[in-house]
Amino acid sequence: MLNSSLCEMLGIEYPVFQGGMAWIADGKLAAAVSNGGGLGIIAAGNAEAAYVREQIRAAKSLTDKPFGVNIMLLSPYADEVAAVAAEEKVAVVTTGAGNPSKYMEMWKQAGIKVIPVVASTALARLMERLGASAVIAEGGESGGHIGELATIVLVPQIVDVVSIPVIAAGGIADGRGVAAAFMLGACGVQVGTRFLAAEECSIHPNYKEKIVKAKDLCTMVTGRRLGHPVRALRTNFQREYLKAEYSQISDEELEAMGAGSLRKAVVDGNNDEGCFLAGQSAAMVKKIQPAAEIVRELCEEAEPLLKGAAKWVR
Ligand code: TUI
């Protein structure tokens, strides 16, 4: 059975995290992943503290297993949500889209394991120094907000500069990706896009359908002009947004154009104005299935690949 130090550290069965996808990863999805032996993660996204507390309590009512909360550091509510995670003493906090230094002491005092997403070696080093339990090295194949480097170059570089466990993310949607991540030196994976097609994922059916039907070239990156590149499915809306980025319109108008687009995708399934965040692995997601089955398949497919790697060596 696929196993690593991460399983022991967190008290989980499989070294698989479910990505903290804003607007998407709620208490129900997180509990389903944790009940399946992985680590479910509730996304705070841009939500207010009360919503996050509610989702944490929902997850607690659905599972006795450990789960995490992801704090999106660009959120206007990041301070409040960070405090809620500490008060509720969740097992794990992951962070994204920034540097969580100012919260680290508070979380550690609450006995929380802090596992930041890093997109550079500098931030990885700093996080280890400030007491992170592990780091997630997320490459630009991911959906949502992305860094510069691809997973295959980011993971080994992070592995080389820290001695805490490294979790690979970005582009991993089947056992081959899991095995490759371990070969790069990771001891766990974080998977987002594949869990969009989990039965327990409450996104609009239009969103799930788009993921299951996605082909290899179906994602694109927008948002570079405002300094926050995001990967999403290539829709008419995303194409129009990209065009607007290269036009004369003001930053304010551009921002207004994107406002509310995540909600429109997730809640309304709005094909014309929604921003359907997804990673490059969308094309590898073939069907809707229970979250626990996804966790198990990812690991069971990786096992023979890792065992069989000896065939390449004479
Ligand atoms: O955070 C994510 N993915 C996200 S956040 C999000 S919500 C959003 N919506 C619109 C615009 C922006 C955000 C949707 N998807 N992934 C984790 C991640 N973190 N990827 C890259 C980074 C990152 C980048 C730079 C982490 C740290 C960092 O360092 C900044 C610094 O200050 O050192």
Side-chain angles (χ1 to χ4, degrees):
M1 185 169 154
L2 189 66
N3 194 265
S4 76
S5 59
L6 197 65
C7 296
E8 199 173 23
M9 176 200 281
L10 301 176
I12 57 179
E13 206 179 335
Y14 297 103
V16 175
F17 288 15
Q18 159 252 312
M21 301 169 283
W23 279 102
I24 296 171
D26 58 8
K28 180 181 165 193
L29 178 63
V33 172
S34 289
N35 282 331
L39 187 80
I41 297 178
I42 295 165
N46 276 316
E48 291 181 30
Y51 167 84
V52 178
R53 198 188 296 278
E54 191 182 291
Q55 294 306 317
I56 292 171
R57 301 232 166 127
K60 282 178 180 169
S61 76
L62 294 168
T63 186
D64 294 328
K65 304 265 173 72
F67 63 87
V69 172
N70 174 264
I71 313 290
M72 208 282 281
L73 295 164
L74 293 169
S75 165
Y77 303 107
D79 287 352
E80 290 97 309
V81 171
V84 164
E87 285 162 27
E88 295 287 330
K89 298 194 185 303
V90 294
V92 173
V93 162
T94 64
T95 63
N99 178 340
S101 295
K102 67 172 175 174
Y103 305 120
M104 299 277 289
E105 210 39 56
M106 172 177 69
W107 289 328
K108 283 195 296 173
Q109 287 296 323
I112 294 171
K113 296 202 164 59
V114 186
I115 309 187
V117 168
V118 297
S120 67
T121 53
L123 190 60
R125 278 199 174 98
L126 177 65
M127 292 299 104
E128 176 172 46
R129 187 146 54 78
L130 296 183
S133 295
V135 289
I136 302 167
E138 185 185 291
E141 297 93 323
S142 301
H145 180 55
I146 54 172
E148 279 299 324
L149 298 179
T151 305
I152 198 167
V153 290
L154 181 64
V155 173
Q157 292 187 72
I158 302 289
V159 166
D160 282 348
V161 298
V162 296
S163 42
I164 50 180
V166 176
I167 295 127
I172 302 169
D174 66 15
R176 292 169 296 183
V178 175
F182 276 68
M183 288 295 187
L184 295 173
C187 62
V189 296
Q190 175 165 283
V191 172
T193 302
R194 178 124 181 232
F195 285 109
L196 292 174
E199 279 172 11
E200 299 87 346
C201 179
S202 304
I203 55 176
H204 194 280
N206 289 355
Y207 202 151
K208 282 194 190 178
E209 187 185 320
K210 281 184 193 304
I211 295 297
V212 171
K213 286 191 174 160
K215 299 237 165 37
D216 52 354
L217 302 180
C218 276
T219 74
M220 62 187 283
V221 178
T222 59
R224 293 205 194 273
R225 175 166 142 190
L226 298 179
H228 299 302
V230 300
R231 182 179 299 284
L233 292 179
R234 185 184 294 276
T235 57
N236 285 337
F237 176 72
Q238 291 304 110
R239 281 198 197 93
E240 289 305 314
Y241 188 94
L242 189 65
K243 253 191 240 163
E245 284 190 86
Y246 286 93
S247 77
Q248 300 294 325
I249 73 165
S250 67
D251 286 358
E252 291 71 28
E253 282 174 281
L254 195 59
E255 218 156 301
M257 196 177 160
S261 60
L262 298 188
R263 204 195 84 93
K264 285 179 189 164
V266 173
V267 181
D268 310 332
N270 184 332
N271 292 323
D272 301 319
E273 292 166 38
C275 173
F276 295 81
L277 297 180
Q280 290 181 332
S281 68
M284 296 159 72
V285 180
K286 304 280 196 275
K287 62 174 190 218
I288 294 168
Q289 61 188 144
E293 199 174 289
I294 296 174
V295 173
R296 191 160 22 85
E297 271 183 25
L298 285 164
C299 296
E300 284 181 356
E301 286 170 10
E303 285 163 19
L305 297 175
L306 288 166
K307 273 194 183 167
K311 77 177 177 188
W312 299 109
V313 186
R314 245 181 238 295

